[in-house]
Amino acid sequence: MQQTTNKILVTGGAGYIGSHTVVALVEQGFDVVVLDNFSNSQPESISRIEQITGVKLDVVNADVRDEIALQRVFELHQFDAVIHFAGLKAVGESVDQPLRYYHNNVQGALQLLRVMGDGNCKKIVFSSSATVYGDPSSVPITESFALNATNPYGHSKLMVETLLRDISSSDADWQVSILRYFNPVSAHSSGLIGEDPNGIPNNLMPYISQVAVGRLACLSIYGDDYDTVDGTGVRDYIHVADLASAHIKALQALAPGHGCQAYNIGTGRGYSVLEMVKAFEAASGQTIKYKIAPRRIGDIASCYADTSKSARELGWTAEHDLNGMMQDLWHWQSNNPNGYS
Ligand code: NAD
Ligand code: WQD
């Protein structure tokens, strides 16, 4: 396939979703530069990417808010597009440390967009989140649903979405895709890269896989009295490799006249917490000890995507099924019980 977009800056490329996307980009022949401050990732993830791809990566250890460092990167390279993953992502932490979240996520995006504009690089794919839909009035969720964040993390994503829409309205040269991820899970099929959260995981699947390797004793299931198939919360879990391929499609779909578009990136199908536990047990052969705990504040009953816009406009749909997600997750966690360390 002929590529019109070749040289890509990937901010946050050492992180969970970024590392998988960098692998996919390199495998598709893109020329990638990673910029990361390693505030929530390990240099080891870069070595693993290099091991998988056989390509030495160009990595800049810098903060996206560092104007001088960013300008220098744009002086050294003529980028065709940027994929902007760099940001903080823990909802609970954002409630405790709102300024840190706004500063990192909003100021980081502002700085990046300014330097991009100065360097006449006006194509960007931005990591947003289903969290921008808040508590949706119904499911499945389409991109035209009301946007209504309920915590500083979600607000920071909405602010950047607004920024992107505004710059695109003011200057038609900007070509922007906002990807609203649902619940990213699992790991690369090699078992070499995966999710390695700091401290005790907030998210369901890393918690389950750490129970499986004995790092954690017991999963707490937050609520079994929701109006769902079995009373536990329902989410749209998507394999991180499918997320990675969505970024490639999103880059390839950037073209004159694109403007600013948002896309749901999920599978379109929801699974309950208990269904996820059972599926993990079946794929791993491990038994997951769990107990029912009270509902977690801020949680909603059900959240899953209508993915027809991304299928229609990006030509992308998720390919991995639930069992595949669980097998790859177990491959990663059992090979790397302590993550990258
Ligand atoms: P991650 O923390 O694993 O990766 C983010 C990377 O960005 C890390 O390597 C971190 O060191 C880097 N970083 C953070 N702030 C930076 C800064 N100021 N300058 C340079 N580098 C910086 O997170 P992830 O799960 O890979 O998420 C990537 C993006 O996707 C984030 O923007 C996140 O908000 C968004 N997202 C994640 C999820 C999820 O559940 N994982 C869901 C929806 C959206
Ligand atoms: C999934 C389900 C929990 C942990 C969060 C962010 C969202 C996005 C993705 C960044 C829910 C239940 C969980 C546990 C449990 N991130 N659960 N025990 O809350 O859907 O989304 O991550 O953008 O913004 O809010 O994901 O994995 O935390 O929870 O029972 O120990 O698992 O109640 O039903 P969530 P999650």
Side-chain angles (χ1 to χ4, degrees), residues 164-223:
L164 290 167
R165 273 187 287 275
D166 288 349
I167 56 168
S168 149
S169 310
S170 77
D171 176 355
D173 287 347
W174 281 95
Q175 298 164 24
V176 180
S177 281
I178 293 167
L179 303 189
R180 296 182 181 144
Y181 315 150
F182 280 64
N183 287 62
V185 295
S186 197
H188 191 261
S189 57
S190 63
L192 285 168
I193 55 172
E195 191 171 11
D196 181 20
N198 275 331
I200 296 176
N202 297 308
N203 293 120
L204 178 67
M205 291 319 297
Y207 204 107
I208 289 178
S209 62
Q210 291 193 18
V211 171
V213 291
R215 277 173 73 178
L216 296 167
C218 176
L219 170 72
S220 292
I221 295 185
Y222 298 136

Side-chain angles (χ1 to χ4, degrees), residues 11-18 35-41 62-65 84-89 104-105 126-130 153 157 181-184 195 203:
T11 74
Y16 171 44
I17 304 169
L35 182 139
D36 202 299
N37 67 358
F38 296 94
S39 57
N40 198 40
S41 52
D63 194 299
V64 275
R65 292 164 296 180
H84 182 41
F85 292 106
L88 300 174
K89 61 168 180 176
N104 202 332
N105 294 0
F126 171 63
S127 301
S128 188
S129 166
Y153 167 70
K157 289 291 175 194
Y181 315 150
F182 280 64
N183 287 62
E195 191 171 11
N203 293 120

Side-chain angles (χ1 to χ4, degrees), residues 242-260:
D242 282 327
L243 268 183
S245 67
H247 289 79
I248 308 256
K249 294 285 192 184
L251 276 180
Q252 290 168 336
L254 294 177
H258 178 85
C260 179

Side-chain angles (χ1 to χ4, degrees), residues 78-91:
Q78 184 60 53
F79 295 112
D80 295 297
V82 175
I83 305 182
H84 182 41
F85 292 106
L88 300 174
K89 61 168 180 176
V91 171

Side-chain angles (χ1 to χ4, degrees), residues 16-323:
Y16 171 44
I17 304 169
S19 57
H20 291 79
T21 304
V22 169
V23 167
L25 285 165
V26 171
E27 283 175 346
Q28 295 274 320
F30 288 91
D31 186 0
V32 176
V33 176
V34 168
L35 182 139
D36 202 299
N37 67 358
F38 296 94
S39 57
N40 198 40
S41 52
Q42 312 288 332
E44 177 63 19
S45 72
I46 299 291
S47 310
R48 302 282 183 96
I49 297 171
E50 291 175 341
Q51 203 179 322
I52 295 168
T53 60
V55 170
K56 179 99 187 88
L57 273 182
D58 193 341
V59 181
V60 182
N61 185 341
D63 194 299
V64 275
R65 292 164 296 180
D66 180 342
E67 187 176 8
I68 307 283
L70 212 51
Q71 279 169 345
R72 173 107 186 99
V73 175
F74 275 80
E75 277 160 21
L76 280 174
H77 306 275
Q78 184 60 53
F79 295 112
D80 295 297
V82 175
I83 305 182
H84 182 41
F85 292 106
L88 300 174
K89 61 168 180 176
V91 171
E93 193 180 64
S94 80
V95 175
D96 294 335
Q97 304 171 26
L99 282 181
R100 184 170 160 240
Y101 269 68
Y102 289 120
H103 194 246
N104 202 332
N105 294 0
V106 182
Q107 173 66 10
L110 262 175
Q111 189 70 266
L112 175 66
L113 292 169
R114 212 148 48 88
V115 174
M116 284 177 69
D118 291 348
N120 206 27
C121 168
K122 296 186 176 177
K123 292 182 179 185
I124 184 167
V125 176
F126 171 63
S127 301
S128 188
S129 166
T131 200
V132 299
Y133 297 115
D135 190 353
S137 53
S138 60
V139 279
I141 300 167
T142 70
E143 289 83 353
S144 58
F145 271 36
L147 301 178
N148 175 30
T150 55
N151 53 68
Y153 167 70
H155 283 296
S156 76
K157 289 291 175 194
L158 271 184
M159 285 179 184
V160 177
E161 287 203 7
T162 305
L163 256 169
L164 290 167
R165 273 187 287 275
D166 288 349
I167 56 168
S168 149
S169 310
S170 77
D171 176 355
D173 287 347
W174 281 95
Q175 298 164 24
V176 180
S177 281
I178 293 167
L179 303 189
R180 296 182 181 144
Y181 315 150
F182 280 64
N183 287 62
V185 295
S186 197
H188 191 261
S189 57
S190 63
L192 285 168
I193 55 172
E195 191 171 11
D196 181 20
N198 275 331
I200 296 176
N202 297 308
N203 293 120
L204 178 67
M205 291 319 297
Y207 204 107
I208 289 178
S209 62
Q210 291 193 18
V211 171
V213 291
R215 277 173 73 178
L216 296 167
C218 176
L219 170 72
S220 292
I221 295 185
Y222 298 136
D224 66 349
D225 57 353
Y226 287 106
D227 183 15
T228 61
V229 58
D230 55 23
T232 64
V234 166
R235 297 289 183 274
D236 186 339
Y237 297 93
I238 172 154
H239 196 300
V240 65
D242 282 327
L243 268 183
S245 67
H247 289 79
I248 308 256
K249 294 285 192 184
L251 276 180
Q252 290 168 336
L254 294 177
H258 178 85
C260 179
Q261 294 290 333
Y263 299 100
N264 284 342
I265 304 297
T267 64
R269 138 130 236 210
Y271 288 101
S272 75
V273 177
L274 278 171
E275 287 172 332
M276 296 301 279
V277 171
K278 298 296 164 217
F280 182 86
E281 287 182 333
S284 66
Q286 306 296 305
T287 300
I288 301 302
K289 196 172 167 212
Y290 68 82
K291 63 177 187 224
I292 304 299
R295 291 182 177 194
R296 183 171 66 177
I297 293 168
D299 272 358
I300 56 178
S302 287
C303 176
Y304 54 92
D306 179 319
T307 56
S308 47
K309 183 178 176 189
S310 29
R312 195 174 57 246
E313 294 187 15
L314 300 180
W316 171 88
T317 46
E319 286 178 356
H320 293 75
D321 65 9
L322 189 59
N323 185 48

